[in-house]
Amino acid sequence: LAKTTQPISMDSYEGQEVNITCSHNNIATNDYITWYQQFPSQGPRFIIQGYKTKVTNEVASLFIPADRKSSTLSLPRVSLSDTAVYYCLVGDISAGGNNDMRFGAGTRLTVKP
Amino acid sequence: GAGVSQSPRYKVAKRGQDVALRCDPISGHVSLFWYQQALGQGPEFLTYFQNEAQLDKSGLPSDRFFAERPEGSVSTLKIQRTQQEDSAVYLCASSLRRGGVGDTQYFGPGTRLTVL
C-alpha cells in the first residue's frame, strides 16, 4: 500500500489560495489519488480524485506531477467555512472493499479572518 | 435525497454496559463501512459489508465488537462490556458499488460514544 505524508496543520486567511501537498513516493501504477474533507462533528466528504496532470471541479483543483510521487490540493480563495481536516488517500481504483481507504491524521486547515 | 444517518448522535455509557449504534445507509448502496475515529485522528476501518455479507472485519479491535446488516440495508454496531478506550466517534459510510477508493463513500455524522 502506498503511504502518504501530509503536513499536520496549515493556517491561512480568507481570500487566499491554499495548497496542501501530499507525498506518496511508493505510488503504484494503478493507484489513484483521492482527497476527502472533514468538518467538525461531521463525517468525511469526498472532494476530488485524479490520476495524473490536473483535475478541477467546483470545489478544488488537484495537481499531480509526471512522476506522481506527490500531489497538491488547491483551494481557491478560501473562506472561514473551509476550515476542516483534509485527507489524502492513495489506492487502486479497481480494488473494492476497504482496500486502500487509509485516512491517516490528515491536514488541519484553519482559515482566519 | 437523504444521506447516511446514524443514531444516536451521542451515547454515554457506564463501563461494562452494552451499546448498539445504528446506521441507515443511502438507499440502494451495496457497500457499508464502519470506522472508529479517536480525537484528533483520522477514521480507522472497523468492518465492511457488501449487501448482507460481512466481507471484512479485520479492523474490529476485539471480540466485544460485533456488527450486522441482516437485510442488506440498516446496520448495527454492537459493543459489549464497554471500556473507556472504546470512547470515540463511530462513523458509518455507504457506497454504491463494492467500495474502495474508486467508489465514493458517503459518511454519516457519526455517533460520539463516551464511556465513563
Side-chain angles (χ1 to χ4, degrees), chain B residues 60-79:
Chain B
L60 296 176
S62 78
D63 58 6
R64 296 185 295 104
F65 287 70
F66 172 77
E68 59 183 5
R69 193 187 185 198
E71 298 179 356
S73 55
V74 172
S75 177
T76 303
L77 176 67
K78 298 179 180 178
I79 309 173

Side-chain angles (χ1 to χ4, degrees), chain B residues 3 7 13 22 28 31 47-48 65 72 77-78 97 100-101 116:
Chain B
S7 61
R22 177 187 170 106
S31 294
T47 187
Y48 156 62
F65 287 70
L77 176 67
K78 298 179 180 178
R97 297 180 298 275
V101 293
L116 303 177

Side-chain angles (χ1 to χ4, degrees), chain A residues 6 20 27-28 46 52 62 65 69 81 86-89 94:
Chain A
Q6 308 174 229
I20 305 174
I27 191 168
F46 169 91
K52 62 179 180 181
L62 179 60
K69 294 184 182 300
S81 62
Y86 293 82
Y87 299 97
C88 168
L89 288 78
S94 64

